[in-house]
Amino acid sequence: MNPELIHTAKQFAFAEKPEAIESCKYGHINDTYAVYCLGAKGTPPRYILQRINHHVFRRPDALMENIARVTTFLRDKISGRGGDPDRETLNLISTKTGQLYHTTPDGDYWRAYAYIPRAQTYQIVRGQDHVYQAARAFGRFQHLLADFPLMRLHDTIPDFHHTPKRLSAFRQVVAADPQNRAPTAAAEIEFVETRAGEVSRLIDLLEQGDLPLRVTHNDTKVDNVLIDDESGEGICVIDLDTVMPGLSLYDFGDFVRSGTNPAAEDERDLAKVKMHLAYFEAIVRGYLGETRDALTALEKDLLTFSAWLITFEIGMRFLTDYLNGDRYFRIHRPEHNLDRCRTQFKLVADMEGKFDQMQRIVERYR
Ligand code: GN1
Ligand code: MG
């Protein structure tokens, strides 16, 4: 086993000695490992070890401060409600010197969490109940953090969901076309341009003071919720790197993006990719069940639009990265980012055809 990884693991105040470390292949940004202890074989991991991608997250110190504050706050809330804070929130493990993260001589940043056993995440939607439970978990997350002081959070990636700025970045890359890839993505580039007029709607409303800033997760993919093996409930929201002030609509929209697609985010057979209306309904029911009283009428009006916008935004980010030479999202094959873009745009187009039906569902549950 990799001695450097073991050495890194040893920097943390683990109660047990690391015996084996295994890479977890998911996630496009950080590197994640499961740490096994106590003879390892057949036992669940005890810890999660993660290298923070500091090219994406430029201030790991600020990011870790956010996570520490949010998880400490959640622990108190969950205990206060009679929940289990060891299962319902992530829990950081500090280093042996009491730091939130460990810095290596090469300038890498590492952190550790306690592993939550008897629960999993699923990359691909398993059915209506799965998305209902995961949507509830994100709704509850927002609800639990409703009185967390916004001022206590750093922007870990400024303008993360600022769609107009994402559009400008996209246009710059198209104009420069550094890899000469634009001709291979002509249809997708055109797809963006024909929709460019819609991208500033949420940001404009935020700037006019019509939509409230809240503590949001900002990366509410369906696989960022741990599902309890026994109860099937969404017990814990994970991947807290982008928890920062944002719009509730970013979280709802991003969840619909991943949670209504019965296929993989990088599925090449686009016939399998669609916005599944029954999943959408399950998500609306789950999410509004937790947030109905807190959301404003305008937020509810814009739920369907946000699903469209955030799916469009992330498709555009994949396309930008493809054109730019795959510098941001980790890829596992050539054109991986273009494939990802295509699934997102297929979803966008499908939502356009189903917009009225989606709105009627929202009306029913709001
Ligand atoms: C990235 O690393 P991962 O898979 O949790 C990205 C999200 C995208 C997502 C698309 C910090 O998240 O914004 O929606 O990929 N995270 C960052 O799958 O850019
Ligand atoms: Mg993430």
Side-chain angles (χ1 to χ4, degrees):
M1 199 190 8
N2 184 332
E4 273 171 52
L5 277 176
I6 287 283
H7 179 77
T8 301
K10 283 190 179 148
Q11 307 310 308
F12 290 88
F14 294 155
E16 287 151 19
K17 186 167 164 279
E19 302 273 354
I21 302 183
E22 222 172 60
S23 156
C24 310
K25 283 167 237 76
Y26 303 120
H28 302 335
I29 310 286
N30 296 320
D31 298 306
T32 306
Y33 298 86
V35 180
Y36 294 83
C37 303
L38 294 175
K41 279 216 173 60
T43 60
R46 294 281 292 141
Y47 306 103
I48 288 289
L49 199 58
Q50 256 178 341
R51 178 173 29 222
I52 303 166
N53 181 332
H54 60 272
H55 303 291
V56 166
F57 297 105
R58 297 304 177 94
R59 286 206 42 207
D61 57 329
L63 177 154
M64 291 307 295
E65 218 168 87
N66 277 6
I67 295 183
R69 285 176 180 159
V70 164
T71 52
T72 306
F73 185 90
L74 286 174
R75 263 194 92 79
D76 284 350
K77 279 263 156 148
I78 292 162
S79 305
R81 290 160 41 118
D84 178 353
D86 291 336
R87 285 181 76 68
E88 294 170 35
T89 172
L90 286 176
N91 288 285
L92 283 169
I93 308 234
S94 53
T95 67
K96 286 177 177 160
T97 57
Q99 308 299 307
L100 293 174
Y101 56 92
H102 166 66
T103 316
T104 68
D106 302 344
D108 278 337
Y109 297 82
W110 289 85
R111 66 168 168 232
Y113 289 112
Y115 182 85
I116 300 176
R118 303 183 308 282
Q120 348 257 326
T121 62
Y122 299 93
Q123 304 286 306
I124 298 186
V125 171
R126 306 181 89 207
Q128 276 178 56
D129 193 55
H130 175 205
V131 286
Y132 168 73
Q133 297 292 350
R136 276 186 67 183
F138 279 124
R140 198 181 317 124
F141 182 81
Q142 219 167 70
H143 176 80
L144 291 174
L145 290 172
D147 56 348
F148 183 94
L150 275 181
M151 302 298 294
R152 303 267 297 154
L153 287 177
H154 308 280
D155 268 331
T156 57
I157 301 183
D159 298 320
F160 191 58
H161 281 297
H162 194 299
T163 323
K165 289 193 180 169
R166 296 286 187 184
L167 177 65
S168 314
F170 162 79
R171 284 177 168 163
Q172 274 175 28
V173 172
V174 173
D177 194 16
Q179 308 285 323
N180 298 313
R181 289 181 179 177
T184 61
E188 288 73 23
I189 294 170
E190 165 84 12
F191 187 95
V192 172
E193 288 303 338
T194 54
R195 288 158 178 82
E198 292 288 322
V199 299
S200 61
R201 204 148 144 207
L202 296 187
I203 286 290
D204 288 348
L205 290 166
L206 172 65
E207 282 167 5
Q208 290 157 24
D210 294 332
L211 287 171
L213 264 189
R214 302 180 185 276
V215 176
T216 50
H217 181 282
N218 297 300
D219 186 8
T220 48
K221 285 211 279 205
V222 66
D223 59 327
N224 278 337
V225 176
L226 280 176
I227 304 292
D228 188 280
D229 287 343
E230 205 179 310
S231 67
E233 281 170 34
I235 48 164
C236 181
V237 167
I238 63 170
D239 191 356
L240 306 176
D241 296 325
T242 49
V243 174
M244 55 187 160
L247 296 180
S248 62
L249 293 164
Y250 300 154
D251 283 2
F252 178 82
D254 202 2
F255 186 68
V256 171
R257 171 185 86 79
S258 64
T260 59
N261 175 13
E265 190 181 61
D266 59 359
E267 175 58 59
R268 273 185 278 205
D269 179 0
L270 291 181
K272 294 184 182 156
V273 176
K274 63 171 193 162
M275 201 288 303
H276 195 305
L277 264 179
Y279 293 178
F280 180 74
E281 176 161 355
I283 292 168
V284 171
R285 188 162 56 84
Y287 178 76
L288 283 179
E290 300 288 329
T291 58
R292 187 177 289 113
D293 297 342
L295 295 180
T296 66
L298 185 59
E299 286 177 297
K300 291 175 190 167
D301 290 343
L302 290 164
L303 288 171
T304 304
F305 175 75
S306 75
W308 178 90
L309 183 71
I310 301 301
T311 310
F312 177 75
E313 177 190 278
I314 291 171
M316 182 169 68
R317 288 177 58 200
F318 285 139
L319 182 56
T320 306
D321 199 36
Y322 166 71
L323 296 170
N324 203 26
D326 309 303
R327 295 148 58 98
Y328 187 92
F329 296 106
R330 181 184 299 129
I331 56 164
H332 304 286
R333 58 180 190 244
E335 303 206 339
H336 205 166
N337 278 316
L338 183 58
D339 292 339
R340 290 169 176 153
C341 158
R342 288 181 171 146
T343 60
Q344 302 310 294
F345 287 174
K346 170 80 194 281
L347 289 167
V348 167
D350 202 28
M351 287 181 200
E352 288 168 357
K354 293 173 177 162
F355 208 88
D356 294 343
Q357 293 173 76
M358 293 167 79
Q359 278 296 62
R360 279 201 292 278
I361 289 170
V362 169
E363 290 309 318
R364 238 185 300 136
Y365 290 96
R366 65 183 289 168

